[in-house]
Amino acid sequence: MKQPEPITNAMTVDVEDYFQVSAFENIIARGSWDKLPCRVEQNTDRILQLFADREISATFFMLGWVAERYPTLIQRIVEAGHELASHGFSHIRVTQQNRDDFREDVSRTRKLLEDLSGTAVRGYRAASYSIGRSNLWAHEVLAETGYLYSSSIYPIHHDLYGMPEAPRFAFYPPAVPSLLEIPVSTVELSGHKFPCGGGGYFRLFPYGLFRWAVRRVNQLDGQPCIFYFHPWEIDPEQPRQRGISMKTRVRHYLNLQRMEQRLLWLIGDFRWDRMDRVFLQQD
């Protein structure tokens, strides 16, 4: 009997520098970003080479702030066959924006990315997965400004984000049938959802446990997983921040030196592609 083809999962990169993460927003002012040593270009180039060596394509959710300063990086991403998508302009959470501010942010970033790349930008991911029950109007704005999908909801409990009641898998919001929301992956055990989509959880949990969770989603649920990470996560030499809590320190710096090897294992254990090819072509 012929074995079924393995499911293709979605590999994604949230392109932001170490000083732009939400956990540091109270100690690093946005106005000081240009004065800090940037490492995002060299780290992203390293990721591009890693993907090229293993012949996989991914989706890069790009900050407009980064794109504006490194336009040739945008060109290298697109020329390598990856999907370019929007991460907003300067990593402001949607929960900190009103409808008009959000519209200006996502419109400005989409236009910038399209002008720099010469390709259509169809996807969006909110800073810190900041679309949830209190601001589902953001889906309407995304559809009105030309986006076809969002990957901005994490259906878990978390102190900074999360909408645990949201569906685990891709869905069309009832009020916005033209926009596909693709939540970051979770595995369900005994009626509870646990994260298996990347980020700090990928560096925290043993790799074998994470691999088991992705396989469970693929084989038991029959669904693709969405994995995400950041360029700064493969950079253990990045400048260290002072004056942060122990929780923030652990979340940001834990196992940075092991991240690249774990990423290589993950790439080798599963099949990967861009978000648009995994999800939009299913319609």
Side-chain angles (χ1 to χ4, degrees):
M1 183 176 179
K2 186 179 179 181
Q3 293 295 317
E5 285 289 317
I7 285 178
T8 300
N9 302 288
M11 175 64 68
T12 71
V13 184
D14 291 358
V15 184
E16 60 198 58
D17 219 330
Y18 64 94
F19 51 78
Q20 296 172 317
V21 300
S22 294
F24 293 162
E25 64 186 11
N26 291 326
I27 63 168
I28 303 177
R30 282 185 174 82
S32 69
W33 284 359
D34 276 317
K35 302 174 185 177
L36 299 172
C38 287
R39 301 173 68 86
V40 66
E41 184 179 30
Q42 67 190 51
N43 289 331
T44 305
D45 277 333
R46 190 166 154 198
I47 292 167
L48 287 172
Q49 187 61 57
L50 185 153
F51 287 169
D53 291 344
R54 284 145 188 90
E55 299 182 335
I56 71 165
S57 298
T59 294
F60 286 73
F61 289 97
M62 177 69 60
L63 279 187
W65 189 95
V66 174
E68 203 170 54
R69 285 156 181 80
Y70 302 100
T72 59
L73 177 61
I74 304 302
Q75 296 165 14
R76 293 196 294 276
I77 289 170
V78 172
E79 289 171 358
H82 303 294
E83 179 192 12
L84 184 67
S86 170
H87 198 32
F89 193 84
S90 55
H91 212 261
I92 299 175
R93 284 179 275 178
V94 186
T95 49
Q96 298 172 334
Q97 297 175 298
N98 61 36
R99 195 179 187 114
D100 290 340
D101 291 339
F102 181 67
R103 180 185 298 276
E104 194 279 333
D105 184 286
V106 298
S107 298
R108 174 190 183 190
T109 307
R110 182 167 181 261
K111 183 179 186 306
L112 172 65
L113 295 177
E114 290 187 337
D115 288 348
L116 290 174
S117 68
T119 62
V121 169
R122 302 187 289 178
Y124 170 79
R125 174 170 286 160
S128 298
Y129 300 103
S130 51
I131 294 180
R133 67 179 70 91
S134 67
N135 57 5
L136 292 175
W137 50 259
H139 285 145
E140 299 174 13
V141 175
L142 289 171
E144 291 165 1
T145 52
Y147 291 90
L148 296 184
Y149 76 86
S150 164
S151 182
S152 303
I153 288 178
Y154 213 150
I156 60 170
H157 285 285
H158 192 279
D159 59 340
L160 296 178
Y161 52 77
M163 184 180 174
E165 71 272 21
R168 291 175 58 215
F169 305 116
F171 67 97
Y172 288 96
V176 194
S178 63
L179 183 90
L180 185 66
E181 174 62 44
I182 309 168
V184 178
S185 294
T186 56
V187 62
E188 189 167 49
L189 296 171
S190 302
H192 297 283
K193 300 170 187 174
F194 297 93
C196 64
Y201 297 109
F202 184 64
R203 291 182 281 113
L204 171 64
F205 297 144
Y207 176 72
L209 178 61
F210 205 91
R211 179 179 57 198
W212 169 85
V214 173
R215 283 180 175 165
R216 182 179 175 91
V217 173
N218 285 172
Q219 296 174 3
L220 184 64
D221 297 309
Q223 293 285 337
C225 275
I226 299 91
F227 181 82
Y228 79 97
F229 70 106
H230 308 86
W232 56 262
E233 289 186 276
I234 63 164
D235 183 12
E237 303 304 318
Q238 65 187 263
R240 300 287 170 130
Q241 304 305 310
R242 300 179 179 179
I244 58 177
S245 68
M246 179 59 68
K247 181 167 67 173
T248 296
R249 188 174 301 279
V250 170
R251 281 178 174 174
H252 190 86
Y253 297 117
L254 179 69
N255 286 332
L256 293 181
Q257 72 279 7
R258 299 179 180 177
M259 177 66 182
E260 188 166 343
Q261 181 57 62
R262 290 187 178 188
L263 184 61
L264 292 175
W265 290 337
L266 188 73
I267 289 172
D269 284 339
F270 299 95
R271 179 178 291 183
W272 301 97
D273 205 350
R274 304 159 32 146
M275 289 280 283
D276 56 351
R277 289 205 286 249
V278 172
F279 291 99
L280 297 187
Q281 293 184 8
Q282 294 180 358
D283 296 347

